[in-house]
Amino acid sequence: MNLSNLKPADGATNRAGKRVGRGQGSGKGGTATRGHKGAKSRSGYSKKIGFEGGQMPLQRRVPKFGFTNINRVEYKGINVEKLQELVDNKKVKDVVTFEALVDNGLAKSKDLVKILGGGELKASLKVSAHKFTASAKAAIEAAGGEAINL
């Protein structure tokens, strides 16, 4: 090793980026690599979301229709067969509470739950939920259980 082959360790030096807009003598003066005129050449430019170069943007070209009810109440539907699976997997015994549904990942704590009549229920369960369909209530009561509205 001698003075002719000394060099800094890998990653120890950073190559400086282009210094643009520092006069004509630098070779990167004038337009400072931005081209000529237009919004992109100016300071403070940021393209707005959905901007299509002055063409009418898609979200304004597509017709709007319909109605959104701001008072709509959304329920998370759970079929009675899912309740039977909980019993089969020994996750619940004879009482299915809202907390039990949340703990088993069938609903979130902020959800409103509606029990639906899909599938078959053999176990006698005491089910508490926000709403029940008529078929779900009939299935629960036919199995010897009870449907309780929260």
Side-chain angles (χ1 to χ4, degrees):
M1 179 183 288
N2 58 28
L3 288 176
S4 67
N5 60 13
L6 284 178
K7 62 181 178 124
D10 288 339
T13 58
N14 292 327
R15 206 178 130 261
K18 287 183 201 172
R19 280 181 46 104
V20 297
R22 291 292 179 269
Q24 295 293 6
S26 68
K28 297 280 186 283
T31 58
T33 72
R34 287 173 175 257
H36 293 277
K37 298 185 182 176
K40 286 195 212 170
S41 72
R42 317 212 187 277
S43 68
Y45 168 75
S46 65
K47 189 173 78 176
K48 304 293 182 278
I49 293 171
F51 183 69
E52 296 184 20
Q55 172 176 302
M56 186 62 69
L58 181 68
Q59 74 271 20
R60 290 185 61 195
R61 289 197 305 264
V62 175
K64 308 292 183 280
F65 62 92
F67 169 76
T68 304
N69 184 0
I70 61 168
N71 297 317
R72 179 177 169 81
V73 179
E74 199 72 48
Y75 287 92
K76 173 86 170 113
I78 298 174
N79 280 311
V80 290
E81 69 181 355
K82 287 285 185 192
L83 302 181
Q84 183 62 46
E85 280 179 31
L86 289 179
V87 174
D88 294 343
N89 297 335
K90 296 185 172 49
K91 304 268 182 168
V92 294
K93 291 207 189 271
D94 54 351
V95 178
V96 178
T97 61
F98 175 68
E99 288 74 27
L101 296 173
V102 172
D103 292 343
N104 288 296
L106 292 176
K108 294 189 175 112
S109 58
K110 292 182 181 177
D111 285 344
L112 296 175
V113 171
K114 186 172 188 175
I115 305 298
L116 310 174
E120 195 178 351
L121 182 66
K122 298 179 198 115
S124 173
L125 294 173
K126 194 173 186 180
V127 184
S128 55
H130 297 99
K131 278 208 171 179
F132 295 87
T133 61
S135 58
K137 201 164 203 167
I140 291 167
E141 288 167 358
E146 187 183 351
I148 304 162
N149 285 322
L150 290 177

